[in-house]
C-alpha cells in the first residue's frame, strides 16, 4: 500500500520513528507537500474573510479583503482566492465559499439574501469558471458553522442536531445522520421566515432577532450587543429578564424540536455568545416543560467568529481527499 501511494506521488518518506524499542526503526511518511490546497472564503458584509490550508495540515493562513462597492463580487473573490498562496503550486485545489441566505444546491447562486444584494444570478458560475481546475462549492454560512461543530465543537457526540444562529438575523442548520440537510431548494434552516406568535402571523425573525429582543426588555439594540452585555453583568441566572428573552426565542426552537426531534440543539451567533449560560439554561427549561418526551440537549457554541471558515475548510479538505485518493469515484 505505501509503495503504491509513493509511486503515485501521494506520500513521501519523512524519516524514521526514533522511539526506543527493540527491532528496526519504523519508517514515517507524510502527505506530499504539493498534494492539495484547501481555501475557505466567507462573504461577510463588505469584507471577504479568506483562509488557506494545505492538505494534511491543521494550520491555516488567513487574510481579510475589503470589498469595493463599485467592483463585481466575482472579481473580488477570485482575486482573494489567488492571493498569498498561488493555487497553481498544488495538484489539487478546493474552494468552499460561505454565503448569507439560501444557496441553490444546483447552481450555487443565492436564491435570496437581504445582506448580499450584489450576489446576482450567474455569480457562482463565473467564479467556478475563473477558478478553472478547482473544486468550487457554495453553501449557506450557518451550514458551515454546523459542520465545524461536529469536528471542532460541541456536536462531536451527536448525529442528529440543529444549530440555531441568533443575532441581528436568525437562521439554522439541520444535520441528520451526520450530514447537513439542505432541502430541495437549499432553504432548509431559513427559520427567520417561520410564522409564530398570535394567529401565526409574526415571522420568527421579528421575535428572535436582536433588535426585537432588546425592545422586549426595554433596551435599544446596537452593534456589539452592548445592551445584552449589560444584562449579562447585572441579571443573575434564573432572572425574569432571562425568562422574557427565552420566551421570545423558544417558539422557533420548540417547532424545530417537535418537527425533527434532534438529540442536540446548539446555540450560536452573537446573541448566544454574549448571553451565555443564562440564556441557554432558560431555553432548556422551556423545552423541558413544553415537550412530552425527553427534550434535546441544549449547548452553547464556543467556536466564535472562526466557525464559518473552520467548517468551510473542513468541507474543502474533504473534497481534496476525494480528488487525491478517490479520483474515479
Amino acid at each position: 500500500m505505501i509503495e503504491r501511494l509513493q509511486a503515485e506521488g501521494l506520500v513521501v518518506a519523512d524519516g524514521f520513528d526514533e522511539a526506543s524499542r527493540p527491532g528496526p526503526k519504523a519508517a514515517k511518511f507524510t502527505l506530499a507537500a504539493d498534494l492539495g490546497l484547501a481555501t475557505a472564503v466567507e462573504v461577510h458584509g463588505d469584507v471577504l474573510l479568506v483562509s488557506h490550508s494545505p492538505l494534511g495540515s491543521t494550520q491555516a493562513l488567513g487574510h481579510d479583503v475589503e470589498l469595493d462597492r463599485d467592483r463585481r463580487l466575482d472579481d473580488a473573490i477570485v482575486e482573494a482566492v489567488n492571493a498569498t498562496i498561488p493555487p497553481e503550486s498544488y495538484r489539487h485545489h478546493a474552494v468552499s465559499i460561505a454565503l448569507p441566505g439560501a444557496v441553490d444546491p444546483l447552481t450555487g447562486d443565492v436564491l435570496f439574501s437581504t445582506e448580499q444584494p450584489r450576489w446576482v444570478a450567474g455569480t457562482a458560475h463565473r467564479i467556478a469558471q475563473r477558478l478553472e481546475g478547482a473544486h468550487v462549492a457554495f453553501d449557506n454560512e450557518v451550514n458551515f458553522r454546523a459542520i465545524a461543530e461536529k469536528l471542532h465543537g460541541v456536536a462531536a457526540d451527536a448525529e442528529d442536531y440543529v444549530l440555531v444562529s441568533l443575532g441581528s438575523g436568525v437562521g439554522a442548520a439541520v444535520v441528520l445522520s451526520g450530514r447537513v440537510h439542505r432541502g430541495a431548494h437549499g432553504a432548509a434552516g431559513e427559520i427567520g421566515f417561520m410564522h409564530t406568535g398570535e394567529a401565526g402571523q409574526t415571522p420568527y425573525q421579528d421575535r428572535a432577532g436582536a433588535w426585537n429582543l432588546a425592545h422586549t426588555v426595554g433596551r435599544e439594540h446596537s452593534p456589539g450587543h452592548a445592551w445584552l452585555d449589560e444584562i449579562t453583568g447585572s441579571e443573575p441566572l434564573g432572572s425574569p429578564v432571562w425568562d422574557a428573552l427565552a420566551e421570545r426565542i423558544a417558539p422557533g426552537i420548540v417547532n424545530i424540536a417537535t418537527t425533527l426531534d434532534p438529540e442536540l440543539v446548539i446555540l450560536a451567533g452573537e446573541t448566544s455568545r454574549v448571553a451565555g449560560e443564562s440564556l441557554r439554561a432558560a431555553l432548556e427549561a422551556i423545552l423541558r416543560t413544553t415537550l412530552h418526551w425527553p427534550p434535546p440537549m441544549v449547548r452553547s457554541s464556543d467556536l466564535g467568529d472562526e466557525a464559518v471558515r473552520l467548517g468551510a475548510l473542513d468541507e474543502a479538505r474533504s473534497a481534496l481527499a476525494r480528488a487525491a485518493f478517490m479520483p474515479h469515484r
Side-chain angles (χ1 to χ4, degrees):
M1 173 64 78
I2 287 295
E3 288 79 5
R4 181 179 67 80
L5 293 175
Q6 279 187 289
E8 294 179 3
L10 301 176
V11 301
V12 294
D14 189 31
F16 294 89
D17 186 352
E18 298 298 334
S20 56
R21 60 171 64 94
K25 293 179 180 178
K28 296 194 298 183
F29 295 86
T30 188
L31 294 176
D34 66 343
L35 186 54
L37 178 68
T39 299
V41 180
E42 180 182 355
V43 183
H44 187 77
D46 290 329
V47 181
L48 297 179
L49 308 175
V50 186
S51 294
H52 298 284
S53 181
L55 186 61
S57 172
T58 59
Q59 304 299 313
L61 177 66
H63 66 281
D64 301 345
V65 179
E66 294 285 340
L67 285 172
D68 184 339
R69 289 185 175 275
D70 297 325
R71 194 176 186 204
R72 276 187 12 179
L73 192 55
D74 54 310
D75 290 337
I77 289 176
V78 170
E79 181 177 305
V81 167
N82 290 328
T84 310
I85 299 178
E88 62 270 16
S89 302
Y90 293 86
R91 284 177 273 167
H92 301 283
H93 186 206
V95 184
S96 293
I97 300 176
L99 306 163
V103 179
D104 188 321
L106 296 179
T107 68
D109 279 318
V110 174
L111 295 175
F112 60 86
S113 174
T114 58
E115 297 181 26
Q116 197 49 252
R118 286 183 294 175
W119 192 278
V120 296
T123 300
H125 178 68
R126 288 194 298 272
I127 291 171
Q129 274 193 323
R130 294 176 61 186
L131 295 175
E132 186 179 1
H135 176 278
V136 184
F138 307 85
D139 205 351
N140 177 273
E141 58 191 358
V142 185
N143 287 341
F144 283 128
R145 281 186 181 274
I147 291 167
E149 291 293 343
K150 181 66 176 175
L151 293 175
H152 310 282
V154 297
D157 58 348
E159 289 297 306
D160 296 324
Y161 61 95
V162 177
L163 181 142
V164 179
S165 180
L166 301 167
S168 298
V170 296
V174 178
V175 177
L176 302 175
S177 300
R179 299 175 64 88
V180 174
H181 177 73
R182 296 175 174 85
H185 306 97
E190 291 293 337
I191 59 174
F193 297 94
M194 181 189 300
H195 278 201
T196 58
E198 292 184 12
Q201 296 304 308
T202 304
Y204 187 51
Q205 169 68 43
D206 291 347
R207 286 186 63 97
W211 296 93
N212 300 288
L213 289 179
H215 290 161
T216 298
V217 291
R219 305 297 209 281
E220 290 293 328
H221 178 64
S222 60
H225 284 62
W227 65 274
L228 188 54
D229 195 40
E230 177 190 338
I231 290 173
T232 302
S234 62
E235 296 291 339
L237 187 72
S239 160
V241 172
W242 294 117
D243 292 339
L245 291 172
E247 288 288 349
R248 297 290 295 180
I249 297 169
I253 297 178
V254 169
N255 287 347
I256 290 170
T258 55
T259 303
L260 298 175
D261 188 24
E263 59 192 292
L264 171 66
V265 172
I266 302 170
L267 303 178
E270 191 72 0
T271 297
S272 172
R273 184 191 67 79
V274 177
E277 174 61 15
S278 296
L279 180 61
R280 189 209 66 79
L283 285 168
E284 186 176 59
I286 292 175
L287 286 173
R288 211 165 35 236
T289 57
T290 303
L291 300 178
H292 294 272
W293 53 87
M297 298 176 287
V298 181
R299 296 173 179 166
S300 297
S301 172
D302 57 7
L303 293 182
D305 295 338
E306 297 296 316
V308 174
R309 275 172 291 167
L310 277 174
L313 277 177
D314 289 334
E315 281 293 278
R317 289 183 182 114
S318 295
L320 285 178
R322 290 191 297 271
F325 293 96
M326 299 180 288
H328 305 301
R329 292 191 182 182

